[in-house]
C-alpha cells in the first residue's frame, strides 16, 4: 500500500491555541486529499476534501474558518485547527488519493488533546 | 437511512474459528467495496477490496459481494487473537462512505 505520514502523531495544547497537522504522501502524488476526524468509539467522519491547488470542500457542520486546509502540492496537505477547544479533541486522519484509483489509504493519524 | 450499516458488535469468536462480518449499503449505484481493519488508537488499514459480485479470497480473508442484495461480507478463517480489532466497511459512491465498524474479539 501507499506510504503516508502525518506529523505530529500526538499533540496536547491549551484551549485557544492553533495546531497544524501535516500529511505527506511519500510514494505517490495525491491529487485529492481527504481529512477525517474520529471520536472515541465512533466511525470516521469526513471533514473536508481538497484537490491540489484548489480550495477545500467542507462537509456540512464543519467550520471552514476553524479547520484550515492547505493542499499546495501533490505530496503535502496541512490541516490547521484554529483556536482549538476541548471539543476539538479527536483523532485526525488524512487520506490521500491518487488520480482515479479507487483505493484509499490513510495516514497514521494525529491524536489531538485540547486542555 | 445511513449509507453503510454494520452490526457494531462486539463479536466474539474462539481462536481458529471463522469470523463473519456483515455490511449493507443503501446506494445501489455503489461501485467499489472495501474492508479496513482498525486497531484501537490506530488508523485504518486496508485489508481488501472487491468490485464484482461473488467471492474474493486473499489468504485467510474472503470478501463476498452481492449487489442485488446490497450486501458485502468479510470472512476471516482460522481467526487469531491478533485479528481482534474493529472492522470498517467502506463503499464508494460520490465519496467514501464508512460504516460504524464491527468490533471483533478473538478469544485464545
Amino acid at each position: 500500500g501507499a506510504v503516508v505520514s502525518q506529523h505530529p502523531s500526538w499533540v496536547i495544547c491549551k484551549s485557544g491555541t492553533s495546531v497544524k497537522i501535516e500529511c505527506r504522501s511519500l510514494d505517490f502524488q495525491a491529487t485529492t486529499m481527504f481529512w477525517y476526524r474520529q471520536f472515541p468509539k465512533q466511525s470516521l467522519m469526513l471533514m473536508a476534501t481538497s484537490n491540489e491547488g484548489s480550495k477545500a470542500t467542507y462537509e456540512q457542520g464543519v467550520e471552514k474558518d476553524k479547520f484550515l486546509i492547505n493542499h499546495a502540492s501533490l505530496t503535502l496537505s496541512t490541516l490547521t485547527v484554529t483556536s482549538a477547544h476541548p471539543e476539538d479533541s479527536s483523532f485526525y486522519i488524512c487520506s490521500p488519493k491518487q488520480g482515479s484509483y479507487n483505493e484509499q489509504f490513510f495516514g497514521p493519524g494525529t491524536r489531538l488533546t485540547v486542555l | 437511512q445511513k449509507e453503510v450499516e454494520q452490526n457494531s458488535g462486539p463479536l466474539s469468536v474462539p481462536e481458529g474459528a471463522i469470523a463473519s462480518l456483515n455490511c449493507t449499503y443503501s446506494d445501489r449505484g455503489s461501485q467499489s467495496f472495501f474492508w479496513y481493519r482498525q486497531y484501537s488508537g490506530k488508523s485504518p488499514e486496508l485489508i481488501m477490496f472487491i468490485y464484482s459480485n461473488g467471492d474474493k479470497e486473499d489468504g485467510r480473508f474472503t470478501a463476498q459481494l452481492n449487489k442485488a442484495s446490497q450486501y458485502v461480507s468479510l470472512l476471516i478463517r482460522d481467526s487469531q487473537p491478533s485479528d481482534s480489532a474493529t472492522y470498517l466497511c467502506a463503499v464508494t459512491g460520490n465519496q467514501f462512505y464508512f460504516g460504524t465498524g464491527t468490533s471483533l474479539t478473538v478469544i485464545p
Side-chain angles (χ1 to χ4, degrees):
Chain A
V3 180
V4 184
S5 71
Q6 270 185 251
H7 177 79
S9 57
W10 181 69
V11 58
I12 299 176
C13 69
K14 292 182 179 180
S15 183
T17 59
S18 294
V19 175
K20 179 186 282 190
I21 302 169
E22 289 187 354
C23 176
R24 295 180 185 272
S25 55
L26 301 181
D27 59 352
F28 70 98
Q29 295 183 324
T31 52
T32 303
M33 184 69 74
F34 301 95
W35 283 95
Y36 292 86
R37 180 169 54 182
Q38 187 176 35
F39 293 106
K41 299 190 184 302
Q42 294 186 24
S43 190
L44 299 166
M45 293 171 53
L46 181 64
M47 298 176 67
T49 304
S50 70
N51 292 306
E52 186 260 338
S54 302
K55 288 186 178 180
T57 301
Y58 290 81
E59 295 299 304
Q60 190 174 10
V62 179
E63 299 173 57
K64 63 179 181 180
D65 296 329
K66 181 173 182 61
F67 299 98
L68 303 179
I69 291 173
N70 183 294
H71 190 177
S73 80
L74 290 171
T75 58
L76 172 64
S77 177
T78 61
L79 167 67
T80 301
V81 184
T82 62
S83 187
H85 290 283
E87 58 266 29
D88 298 323
S89 299
S90 188
F91 191 45
Y92 291 85
I93 309 172
C94 68
S95 178
K97 185 170 180 289
Q98 180 184 18
S100 60
Y101 286 97
N102 260 328
E103 296 167 45
Q104 194 163 336
F105 297 95
F106 293 89
T110 297
R111 175 78 57 192
L112 171 64
T113 301
V114 184
L115 302 177
Chain B
Q1 181 186 6
K2 292 182 181 178
E3 297 284 346
V4 180
E5 302 222 29
Q6 293 181 254
N7 187 329
S8 62
L11 173 67
S12 295
V13 299
E15 184 174 357
I18 295 176
S20 177
L21 305 162
N22 304 314
C23 174
T24 59
Y25 59 95
S26 61
D27 184 359
R28 192 170 285 278
S30 299
Q31 297 292 319
S32 308
F33 308 86
F34 301 81
W35 281 99
Y36 290 85
R37 177 175 59 197
Q38 186 175 26
Y39 293 110
S40 181
K42 300 295 184 182
S43 191
E45 55 179 329
L46 180 66
I47 298 175
M48 61 190 306
F49 55 87
I50 185 168
Y51 301 143
S52 304
N53 274 326
D55 295 359
K56 179 181 178 182
E57 187 174 317
D58 184 0
R60 295 187 296 113
F61 299 96
T62 298
Q64 299 174 317
L65 174 61
N66 184 325
K67 290 188 177 181
S69 301
Q70 296 175 238
Y71 174 96
V72 58
S73 66
L74 179 71
L75 301 178
I76 307 175
R77 289 181 299 281
D78 188 25
S79 295
Q80 301 297 309
S82 58
D83 294 327
S84 299
T86 296
Y87 289 80
L88 299 170
C89 169
V91 172
T92 57
N94 293 328
Q95 59 173 271
F96 249 64
Y97 295 101
F98 285 91
T100 53
T102 298
S103 175
L104 171 67
T105 300
V106 180
I107 303 168

